[in-house]
């Protein structure tokens, strides 16, 4: 909270003046926003990976984020004076529809070719984003679209990040369904054989993913690789029991996003590099390590 163009300290919280106001209005909300966004996206990532039964997917590689952006763009075009709540509802709905279509596409793929799943997701998401970008270009909204898809926390202030608390609450809700998500990860036939209402659990999980994705994009933009690398790191060392690993995944996701935000503030001080760029670079390195490193545990 002390890092930034203006120097402040924790003691300033107890003093009246500009420094204390800066902490309350900007630095504390920014720190909380980074933690909430990182934790929520990491939880959304493990839910998607569990349902698809593939470690190479996350909301940003399955078309979910692109569909959420499409919903926000549609709201901006057709209901420009729409309140934030309406934008949230529409973007969540389009994100849910996008995730559902991706799940339908995945069912058509051969199970012996796991790399086809992320490739399908990337092509699917790129197609949706291309259409979204074309519409944004036609209506001179490319700048707005770039803000939604490139995450950065410099504009986070008190009164402009609170939607992320809802995203965090939705991520906590996932913990209460963790055991059901784990069973659903065995596959539809096995889950139904174990007495699980697979369809209901799938809808709940996709709704959680859609809400988290839309809340994050509306508030700070999309942060790439969080839902991809964080669950893989935790799974490598702690296994795949969702109830056991979800708190660790949320904690590591929040910590890595906050660390990326700090790096973005320090690497070209006093100017800033968006956290989406920093985490994109770090996430690529970590993802390559996960691909080529030997597993830390067996079974």
């Amino acid at each position: 909270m002390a890092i930034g163009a203006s120097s402040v300290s924790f003691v300033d919280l107890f003093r009246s003046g500009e420094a204390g106001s800066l902490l309350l209005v900007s630095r504390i909300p920014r720190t909380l926003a980074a933690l909430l966004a990182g934790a929520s996206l990491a939880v959304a990532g493990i839910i998607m990976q569990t349902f698809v039964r593939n470690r190479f997917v996350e909301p940003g590689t399955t078309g979910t984020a692109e569909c959420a952006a499409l919903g926000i763009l549609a709201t901006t075009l057709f209901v420009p004076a729409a309140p934030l709540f309406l934008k949230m509802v529409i973007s969540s709905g389009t994100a849910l529809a996008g995730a559902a279509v991706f799940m339908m596409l995945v069912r058509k793929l051969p199970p012996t070719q796991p790399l086809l799943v992320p490739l399908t997701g990337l092509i699917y998401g790129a197609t949706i984003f291309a259409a979204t970008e074309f519409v944004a270009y036609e209506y001179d909204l490319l700048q707005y679209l770039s803000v939604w898809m490139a995450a950065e926390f410099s504009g986070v202030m008190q009164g402009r990040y609170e939607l992320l608390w809802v995203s965090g609450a939705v991520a906590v809700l996932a913990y209460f369904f963790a055991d059901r998500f784990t069973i659903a990860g065995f596959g539809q036939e096995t889950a139904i054989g174990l007495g699980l209402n697979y369809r209901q659990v799938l809808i709940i999980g996709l709704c959680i993913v859609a809400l988290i994705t839309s809340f994050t994009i509306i508030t700070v933009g999309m942060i790439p690789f969080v839902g991809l690398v964080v669950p893989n790191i935790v799974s490598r060392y702690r296994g795949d029991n969702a109830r056991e690993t979800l708190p660790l995944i949320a904690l590591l996701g929040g910590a890595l996003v906050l660390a990326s935000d700090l790096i973005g503030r320090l690497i070209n001080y006093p100017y800033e590099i968006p956290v989406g760029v920093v985490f994109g670079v770090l996430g690529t390195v970590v993802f390559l390590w996960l691909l080529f490193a030997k597993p830390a545990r067996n079974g």
Side-chain angles (χ1 to χ4, degrees):
M1 288 186 289
I3 297 174
S6 299
S7 299
V8 293
S9 66
F10 183 75
V11 179
D12 292 321
L13 276 175
F14 306 98
R15 299 174 178 170
S16 59
E18 184 178 344
S21 298
L22 180 63
L23 276 172
L24 290 173
V25 174
S26 177
R27 299 290 174 81
I28 292 178
R30 179 172 183 158
T31 303
L32 293 175
L35 292 172
L36 289 168
S40 302
L41 288 174
V43 170
I46 187 59
I47 294 174
M48 286 296 296
Q49 292 175 11
T50 300
F51 283 151
V52 180
R53 303 169 69 185
N54 190 292
R55 287 293 182 185
F56 301 109
V57 299
E58 64 147 1
T61 60
T62 58
T64 307
E66 288 80 3
C67 286
L70 178 60
I72 301 174
L73 179 64
T75 308
T76 304
L77 286 175
F78 298 110
V79 196
L84 184 61
F85 177 76
L86 181 59
K87 291 183 178 180
M88 175 194 71
V89 171
I90 295 177
S91 65
S92 299
T94 55
L96 177 60
V101 171
F102 175 74
M103 293 292 296
M104 291 168 52
L105 292 174
V106 167
R107 292 178 183 274
K108 305 294 183 181
L109 299 177
T112 57
Q113 300 291 331
L115 289 180
L116 285 179
V117 175
L119 288 175
T120 301
L122 289 172
I123 295 171
Y124 170 59
T127 303
I128 295 173
F129 185 70
T132 305
E133 196 169 29
F134 174 76
V135 175
Y137 172 77
E138 288 293 316
Y139 289 92
D140 197 22
L141 291 173
L142 280 177
Q143 185 175 1
Y144 290 97
L145 186 63
S146 64
V147 169
W148 298 327
M149 301 307 294
E152 57 93 21
F153 292 98
S154 62
V156 172
M157 299 180 67
Q158 189 178 45
R160 294 183 56 185
Y161 84 103
E162 281 75 11
L163 198 59
L164 287 175
W165 283 108
V166 183
S167 179
V170 173
V172 172
L173 179 65
Y175 181 78
F176 297 98
F177 292 92
D179 293 334
R180 295 178 177 85
F181 292 156
T182 300
I183 297 174
F186 296 151
Q188 183 174 358
E189 293 182 0
T190 303
I192 293 174
L194 293 172
L196 183 73
N197 189 333
Y198 181 83
R199 182 181 179 84
Q200 181 186 71
V201 173
L202 180 64
I203 292 174
I204 292 173
L206 291 182
C207 285
I208 291 174
V209 171
L211 288 171
I212 288 174
T213 304
S214 61
F215 289 166
T216 305
I217 290 179
I218 289 173
T219 309
V220 297
M222 191 62 194
I223 310 174
F225 287 115
V226 178
L228 182 64
V229 300
V230 174
N232 276 288
I233 292 173
V234 175
S235 174
R236 179 173 289 267
Y237 295 102
R238 298 302 296 268
D240 297 324
N241 187 325
R243 182 169 291 276
E244 178 187 346
T245 59
L246 265 180
L248 295 174
I249 289 171
L251 180 63
L252 182 60
L256 289 180
V257 170
L258 181 59
S260 298
D261 185 38
L262 290 174
I263 293 172
R265 282 186 257 176
L266 292 172
I267 200 169
N268 193 29
Y269 184 87
Y271 304 102
E272 294 188 17
I273 298 175
V275 67
V277 176
V278 176
F279 202 99
V281 174
L282 297 179
T284 302
V285 175
V286 174
F287 183 58
L288 291 174
W289 168 72
L290 290 170
L291 283 177
F292 295 107
K294 294 181 179 180
R297 56 181 286 164
N298 297 320

